[in-house]
Amino acid sequence: MAIEQTLSIIKPDGVKKNVIGPIITKFEENGLSVVAAKMQKLSRHQAEGFYAVHKERPFFGELVDFMTSGPVLLMVLEGENAIAKNRELMGATNPAEAAEGTIRKMYAASIGENTVHGSDAPETAAFETSWFFKGGDIVSH
Ligand code: ADP
Ligand code: MG
């Protein structure tokens, strides 16, 4: 295993529910550290570019509407096997299918409004991290 960095987003529903604290605690208790963070209300341009891989999907418009509906917390997480570890802690995309104790099982309302984003591979982690953060914004522990 290697030390990796991955992009995490607490989506507008998670920010509105005021569960930033417990979500970050879950990351920290499982060996992930926050090495960059900022609150931001995404522009449509930012959300569309971030999710460009999904632009042909039927839910794309709904996804961009949701992601721009309120502030999000953008973070870079670092740790052993951080990309897969974050995905495991998040749980399945559809909260109805997410394992007990995962973030989406605990907080998400639906497949669309599912509380957290996490990069799914080293290439997407690199792209997604650089979409929101400059190298100098990331402070490794
Ligand atoms: P994940 O976020 O688990 O990597 P995907 O990359 O497949 O999932 O999808 C990106 C995001 O698009 C999801 O987190 C969710 O917010 C939204 N989404 C995915 N599938 C649907 C769907 N069937 N209906 C509405 N929104 C969806
Ligand atoms: Mg994805």
Side-chain angles (χ1 to χ4, degrees):
M1 284 199 298
I3 301 288
E4 294 174 334
Q5 292 181 346
T6 190
L7 188 83
S8 167
I9 306 178
I10 301 184
K11 296 184 178 185
D13 62 313
V15 172
K16 280 199 193 86
K17 283 188 181 128
N18 233 11
V19 290
I20 289 173
I23 292 172
I24 291 179
T25 296
K26 187 172 264 301
F27 293 146
E28 292 182 336
E29 286 176 349
N30 286 277
L32 299 178
S33 300
V34 177
V35 294
K38 59 183 171 188
M39 289 290 298
Q40 201 165 302
K41 190 160 184 302
L42 300 184
S43 67
R44 291 196 76 82
H45 168 78
Q46 282 178 308
E48 285 170 358
F50 180 73
Y51 278 123
V53 61
H54 294 305
K55 67 175 182 296
E56 306 304 334
R57 309 279 287 274
F59 57 80
F60 183 68
E62 187 188 323
L63 176 60
V64 171
D65 288 348
F66 169 59
M67 289 301 287
T68 57
S69 68
V72 298
L73 181 65
L74 305 166
M75 290 180 283
V76 180
L77 302 178
E78 183 178 83
E80 282 278 342
N81 215 12
I83 297 167
K85 171 62 71 181
N86 181 34
R87 298 286 303 188
E88 181 190 321
L89 297 172
M90 287 162 57
T93 306
N94 184 348
E97 291 163 12
E100 216 50 59
T102 61
I103 294 165
R104 284 167 163 169
K105 180 70 172 186
M106 292 171 79
Y107 303 117
S110 68
I111 191 169
E113 305 203 0
N114 59 6
T115 314
V116 277
H117 169 85
S119 310
D120 62 6
E123 303 71 40
T124 49
F127 164 73
E128 293 177 355
T129 297
S130 67
W131 186 250
F132 291 120
F133 292 97
K134 297 196 278 285
D137 297 334
I138 300 170
V139 186
S140 279
H141 290 191

